[in-house]
Structure formats: structure tokens, C-alpha cells
């Protein structure tokens, strides 16, 4: 239950992060100025310092990047190619520049350039761990309850068997009447097992 709960929290946080990047790119498109990509990158960084924006020309050349100067061509990036072809692109992968797992969302702008927003998956992981304590406490409470119930049920099932064992021990000392009474009064779980064999009186007489 804890694993399922944690996975559910992760999926919700990942979806929230994805939605946040979509909204940032839609806002960035409305303020996009092909003549001043660096100015736009600075505005984006001021508004969302924990996110990364990369403006990429149609040929893959990086026009601006809030993560610093990037000279590597991005034409082969999967999210760039998908956005250039369909309008939107998305992928989760390790950053070739930063070397850490990132969530990338890319959007094609009207002039053919692609805006790409990204955030580290460590941010999503931190939110997941922040939401885990209630899930773990619930799982622990369920485990303790299950253990207590199982012990109680096991005790109720074993008690008649222990009574029969004690009665048979008494029979060895000559307490025939006691063992017969015990067998007759024993639990429904045990009575069929007893009645399936020899009658207890026959056994004792032998």
C-alpha cells in the first residue's frame, strides 16, 4: 500500500510539473521577441528561477539559455524534433549539459523557433518524499492492525486443539469422563475431525 501510494503521489507531482512547464511556455510565447531572445531568457529566469528555458532556432542553434551559454546544436534532441513536427514535445531524460535527470517540455513558436522549459526531477522527488509520511504511517497502522487480528484469529483456532490435547493427557491418567465431555463440547472446527475417526469411547476402551 505504501509503494502504491508513493507511486500515485509521484505521478500526480509529475503531472503537476508537466502542467507548470506547459503554462510557462504558453506564457513565454506571448512575450517572445525573435529580436531579443536573451532578454526573454532573463525575464523567464526572474519569474521562474527553479526552471530552465532554452530558446532554439529552427536549425537547432541555441539562441538563449537560462542555464548559461550553450554552443552545442540541439537539432538531435528528441523533444526539439517532436515539437518542430507536432507543435509540442516532451521527454524525461538526463541532461547532456547538466548531467542530471530532467523533465523537458518543448513548444514550437510561430516563427519556427522552439522554446524548451525544463526542471530537474529531483524537485519532483522532493515533493513526493514530503507527501510520504502520511502514507507510511497509514501502512504501519494497517500492518499493526493486521498483526493483532491475525494473532487473535490464530488464538481462537488453536484454543480447541489445545483443549483436546489437554483432555487426551487427562485420559492417560484415567480421566475418561473428562475427555469425552471435552470432545463433545469442543469447537466446530475440531468436532468434525474427531467424529471422522473412531468413537472416543471405543478408543478409550481399547
Amino acid at each position: 500500500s505504501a509503494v502504491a501510494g508513493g507511486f500515485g503521489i509521484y505521478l500526480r507531482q509529475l503531472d503537476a510539473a508537466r502542467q507548470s512547464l506547459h503554462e510557462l511556455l504558453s506564457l513565454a510565447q506571448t512575450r517572445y521577441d525573435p529580436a531579443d531572445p536573451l532578454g526573454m531568457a532573463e525575464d523567464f529566469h526572474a519569474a521562474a528561477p527553479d526552471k530552465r528555458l532554452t530558446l532554439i532556432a529552427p536549425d537547432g542553434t541555441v539562441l538563449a539559455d537560462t542555464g548559461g551559454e550553450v554552443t552545442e546544436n540541439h537539432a538531435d534532441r528528441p523533444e526539439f524534433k517532436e515539437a518542430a513536427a507536432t507543435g509540442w514535445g516532451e521527454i524525461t531524460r538526463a541532461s547532456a549539459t547538466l548531467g542530471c535527470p530532467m523533465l523537458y517540455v518543448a513548444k514550437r513558436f510561430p516563427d519556427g523557433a522552439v522554446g524548451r522549459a525544463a526542471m530537474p526531477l529531483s524537485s519532483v522527488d522532493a515533493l513526493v518524499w514530503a507527501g510520504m509520511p502520511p502514507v507510511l504511517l497509514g501502512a504501519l497502522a494497517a500492518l499493526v492492525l493486521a498483526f493483532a487480528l491475525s494473532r487473535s484469529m490464530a488464538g481462537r483456532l488453536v484454543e480447541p486443539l489445545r483443549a483436546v490435547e489437554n483432555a487426551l493427557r487427562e485420559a492417560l491418567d484415567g480421566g475418561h469422563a473428562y475427555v469425552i465431555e471435552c470432545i463433545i463440547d469442543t469447537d466446530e472446527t475440531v468436532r468434525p475431525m474427531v467424529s471422522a475417526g473412531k468413537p472416543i469411547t471405543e478408543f478409550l476402551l481399547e
Side-chain angles (χ1 to χ4, degrees):
S1 64
V3 172
F7 185 66
I9 293 174
Y10 175 79
L11 291 180
R12 286 196 298 272
Q13 294 297 341
L14 187 63
D15 187 63
R18 183 185 297 111
Q19 184 62 31
S20 174
L21 295 181
H22 272 262
E23 292 173 356
L24 285 171
L25 284 174
S26 296
L27 178 61
Q29 179 179 322
T30 63
R31 305 180 64 180
Y32 173 61
D33 182 2
D36 186 23
L38 291 176
M40 178 184 173
E42 291 176 357
D43 293 341
F44 183 95
H45 182 68
D50 59 328
K51 309 292 192 303
R52 180 183 177 189
L53 175 68
T54 306
L55 297 175
I56 309 170
D59 63 357
T61 303
V62 176
L63 303 173
D65 193 312
T66 58
E69 185 177 357
V70 178
T71 58
E72 186 178 359
N73 190 283
H74 281 36
D76 62 340
R77 300 293 196 271
E79 67 277 9
F80 170 81
K81 293 191 291 186
E82 184 179 359
T86 66
W88 285 94
E90 180 184 320
I91 195 171
T92 300
R93 62 174 177 81
S95 169
T97 305
L98 302 178
C100 62
M102 304 279 287
L103 169 64
Y104 291 98
V105 176
K107 178 176 174 57
R108 185 183 63 212
F109 291 165
D111 67 342
V114 171
R116 187 187 69 180
M119 64 180 297
L121 287 179
S122 58
S123 300
V124 177
D125 294 339
L127 293 173
V128 172
W129 283 112
M132 280 301 292
V135 175
L136 295 176
L137 287 175
L140 180 61
L143 181 62
V144 171
L145 180 60
F147 180 74
L149 290 175
S150 65
R151 288 200 63 180
S152 176
M153 292 177 63
R156 287 199 298 271
L157 290 173
V158 172
E159 184 178 357
L161 296 175
R162 287 178 176 167
V164 172
E165 178 187 4
N166 293 333
L168 292 174
R169 289 183 185 277
E170 287 289 328
L172 296 177
D173 296 331
H176 294 180
Y178 176 79
V179 70
I180 294 173
E181 181 181 354
C182 175
I183 295 301
I184 292 174
D185 293 339
T186 194
D187 186 85
E188 290 292 339
T189 306
V190 178
R191 189 179 295 119
M193 294 189 292
V194 174
S195 61
K198 286 184 177 182
I200 189 66
T201 52
E202 179 183 343
F203 169 78
L204 292 175
L205 290 174
E206 289 179 356

